[in-house]
Amino acid sequence: MSITEQSATESLALLKQGELTSVELTQAYLDAINARDEQIGAFLRVDGEAALARAAEIDQRRQAGETLGELAGLPIAVKDVLCDSDERTTCASKMLEDFRPPYDSTVVAKLKAADAVLLGRTNMDEFAMGGSTENSAFKLTRNPWDLQRAPGGSSGGAAACVAGGLAPLSIGTDTGGSIRQPAGLCGVVGLKPTYGRVSRYGLVAFASSLDQVGPLASSVEDVALLLATIAGHDPQDSTSLDAPVPDYLATLNKPLDGLRLGVVREHFAEGLDAEVEASVREAIKVYESLGATVKEISLPHSKYAVATYYVIAPSEASSNLARYDGVHYGYRTDVAKMISDLDSERKELEETDDKEGLEKLDTPLVRMYRRTRDEAFGPEVKRRIMLGAYALSAGYYDAYYLKALKVRRLIRQDFDAAFAEVDLIASPVTAEPAFKIGQMADDPLAMYLVDLYTVSANLAGLPGISLPCGLSKSGLPIGLQLQAPPLAEEKLLRGAQMFQAHTDWHKNKPEG
Ligand code: GLN
């Protein structure tokens, strides 16, 4: 087995025993990136030199007998949406192409403190809006299982780099499924923590009441390892939960005795691919064979989840993205050109004595805002801003935004009722395996519907995990999603581990 096929946990053990150095490990992943990332396109930027220097420093400190952090020497990839003071943070947007944050996000600071080796920054949908990574302003990411297919999104680079053996661990974000969906489509494990479990400080905001940072890796154990590092209370994030972080690794291999597994009636409906359904049902049988009782439950409001999400998320986005005005952050239109264009427009209006036109003419400041935003935001981001601004506008607020908040509450109440009867809920991650690149390019609504099974967890603030549970006839990964009550990550991970301990789906790797 080559070094890059080892799990992060295995590599960590070898590093600790002195049988592997961080330089060797980091070099192996850099070699893999060199060999394969031109095709996959998972990374936006890789700084090999910096990574090797960091690895060498950690090796040296280890040799000197220093006590090292819990991820010491392990390479990790970070989605390009978390601020890092040593790096640009672009959100895959022209708007932030040259943005250098003045501080580290809490998650990046924790990774640095844990002595991880930051390999590079992964591609994503612009500002995390999308489910295919096709909305990146910079490049396309391909699914390592089939290069004609999308890796999912918005953390498509984060999932593809793990699936392609380019990084053992990676950090993604999930606002409406963006960790779990690409993990499912790329055949890796991805966990969205409870809202507030991981700090959002320094995470560039998309929809603040839904955004969560979380781990992706090739096994449940590796995901638990990374979650343990990034979870915890942070006074810098007012929505961060002040609750102790359990030792996820210590309990991981304890099976859940008497597990009651919920299966949602509404989830197995029209539109679910037959192969996906068969794999998920097979996975549920595995749990039964391990002593779990399976209970059918109902989440009656889940049919409104996508609609509710696509009112709330764009509303919050339209307000969060107001800050990109060409003054405070990032891109600014060519001001000299803008002024000269404005002057010619004014002259023309004066010549034709168009009083109304003159009155409506932008001031230079307003024109600067408009041009900046028009030039630097991509089409999907503009669509979200328009949807959100509409839903929040006077006269429509009650009918859309407020209504969506009420339905959000009902969705959460459905889960509360369900979790009185079951410990975990099992479902598909997506209705179909990975789709072709470009397949939904002209149909944003079809793209939004891919989020059917994932957005509820964000609306309700619950943790969820996606893990491989099958392969389609055409050789594409199929994902199983498990959801748990708030702050029950320990249970969620133990439940996922039970499955992985008895199946080999997570061991499948794409060829190449
Ligand atoms: N696909 C969803 C969207 O486009 C989810 C995005 C996310 O979780 N960041 O909004």
Side-chain angles (χ1 to χ4, degrees):
M1 187 159 74
S2 80
I3 298 187
T4 56
E5 280 165 38
Q6 282 162 196
S7 73
T9 315
E10 284 164 345
S11 294
L12 193 62
L14 295 174
L15 285 165
K16 281 186 185 159
Q17 290 154 16
E19 284 170 38
L20 178 69
T21 66
S22 178
V23 168
E24 286 165 341
L25 187 63
T26 304
Q27 188 62 59
Y29 283 104
L30 289 171
D31 291 346
I33 293 170
N34 274 333
R36 291 200 290 273
D37 202 41
E38 201 168 328
Q39 277 194 313
I40 298 174
F43 283 92
L44 284 171
R45 294 179 307 286
V46 174
D47 189 346
E49 243 171 70
L52 286 170
R54 172 89 168 130
E57 177 212 315
I58 292 162
D59 286 338
Q60 241 164 31
R61 286 169 44 209
R62 193 188 304 277
Q63 268 199 334
E66 267 184 49
T67 315
L68 299 174
E70 62 272 27
L71 301 179
L74 280 181
I76 183 164
V78 177
K79 184 177 179 179
D80 206 16
V81 67
L82 283 150
C83 290
D84 181 334
S85 56
D86 300 320
E87 258 289 342
R88 278 189 288 146
T89 296
T90 72
C91 297
S93 177
K94 202 176 162 192
M95 187 61 88
L96 293 177
E97 192 165 3
D98 298 313
F99 175 62
R100 280 193 172 269
Y103 62 91
D104 282 340
S105 53
T106 297
V107 167
V108 165
K110 285 189 175 210
L111 295 175
K112 289 180 178 172
D115 291 320
V117 173
L118 276 64
L119 268 186
R121 311 281 292 186
T122 55
N123 198 20
M124 55 186 281
D125 286 298
E126 184 178 2
F127 284 104
M129 297 175 195
S132 67
T133 314
E134 291 166 296
N135 297 336
S136 166
F138 303 128
K139 72 198 286 191
L140 207 58
T141 300
R142 297 175 181 276
N143 191 315
W145 292 83
D146 175 351
L147 298 173
Q148 302 313 312
R149 292 177 191 271
S154 63
S155 312
C161 74
V162 174
L166 313 180
L169 297 172
S170 87
I171 294 283
T173 61
D174 191 313
T175 302
S178 278
I179 290 174
R180 291 160 290 150
Q181 184 255 31
L185 300 184
C186 289
V188 303
V189 185
L191 184 144
K192 179 201 100 70
T194 306
Y195 182 76
R197 176 77 291 187
V198 176
S199 169
R200 291 184 299 111
Y201 179 69
L203 162 66
V204 179
F206 161 12
S208 310
S209 78
L210 302 160
D211 297 339
Q212 256 300 285
V213 185
L216 295 99
S218 52
S219 72
V220 174
E221 195 176 18
D222 288 357
V223 156
L225 171 76
L226 186 49
L227 180 65
T229 300
I230 61 173
H233 180 236
D234 179 9
Q236 305 262 46
D237 170 1
S238 61
T239 59
S240 161
L241 296 171
D242 192 0
V245 180
D247 187 345
Y248 300 119
L249 285 167
T251 54
L252 191 63
N253 287 304
K254 274 199 210 148
L256 295 167
D257 288 333
L259 169 65
R260 297 163 304 162
L261 191 66
V263 174
V264 183
R265 193 173 312 137
E266 293 83 4
H267 280 169
F268 293 88
E270 214 190 307
L272 180 61
D273 175 84
E275 285 186 278
V276 174
E277 171 162 5
S279 291
V280 172
R281 291 208 187 270
E282 203 51 48
I284 293 164
K285 280 201 196 126
V286 170
Y287 280 102
E288 278 183 303
S289 76
L290 296 172
T293 11
V294 174
K295 269 198 164 185
E296 193 180 76
I297 53 165
S298 172
L299 296 173
H301 298 92
S302 62
K303 57 177 178 286
Y304 304 119
V306 171
T308 305
Y309 172 84
Y310 279 97
V311 171
I312 293 175
S315 296
E316 294 186 19
S318 75
S319 139
N320 273 326
L321 270 59
R323 72 189 64 171
Y324 303 105
D325 54 6
V327 178
H328 292 93
Y329 301 96
Y331 182 86
R332 178 184 300 161
T333 191
D334 177 343
V335 173
K337 168 129 192 359
M338 183 270 294
I339 296 280
S340 99
D341 288 350
L342 204 53
D343 281 345
S344 351
E345 277 172 53
R346 182 176 306 106
K347 252 184 223 138
E348 212 180 294
L349 293 168
E350 281 166 359
E351 271 159 28
T352 54
D353 199 25
D354 183 345
K355 291 212 177 61
E356 205 181 320
L358 277 166
E359 220 160 86
K360 281 196 187 139
L361 192 65
D362 287 341
T363 60
L365 182 64
V366 167
R367 180 61 63 90
M368 194 278 290
Y369 291 156
R370 284 193 183 200
R371 278 227 181 150
T372 295
R373 291 167 70 82
D374 184 41
E375 288 165 5
F377 284 142
E380 183 59 32
V381 172
K382 287 179 184 162
R383 183 178 295 121
R384 304 284 175 114
I385 292 173
M386 287 190 279
L387 285 169
Y390 183 83
L392 290 175
S393 59
Y396 294 102
Y397 181 94
D398 289 1
Y400 294 105
Y401 184 68
L402 194 62
K403 181 91 159 265
L405 290 184
K406 289 178 180 166
V407 181
R408 180 179 189 173
R409 169 55 62 98
L410 294 173
I411 289 170
R412 169 67 187 254
Q413 284 172 352
D414 282 356
F415 276 108
D416 290 346
F419 283 125
E421 288 180 54
V422 299
D423 301 298
L424 298 173
I425 295 175
S427 76
V429 181
T430 52
E432 290 175 37
F435 45 87
K436 289 243 166 75
I437 289 170
Q439 190 175 317
M440 285 175 269
D442 300 325
D443 193 350
L445 198 57
M447 194 67 244
Y448 296 170
L449 288 169
V450 173
D451 302 332
L452 186 65
Y453 299 108
T454 46
V455 289
S456 310
N458 302 78
L459 290 167
L462 311 173
I465 192 168
S466 165
L467 62 158
C469 76
L471 275 185
S472 73
K473 283 196 197 78
S474 49
L476 296 170
I478 294 173
L480 169 72
Q481 176 176 233
L482 297 175
Q483 285 168 287
L487 287 178
E489 279 83 1
E490 188 187 354
K491 209 194 254 182
L492 187 66
L493 287 161
R494 283 169 66 190
Q497 179 69 0
M498 274 169 81
F499 183 76
Q500 274 199 352
H502 291 89
T503 56
D504 284 329
W505 296 111
H506 62 292
K507 293 187 183 145
N508 288 314
K509 303 274 181 242
E511 281 167 31

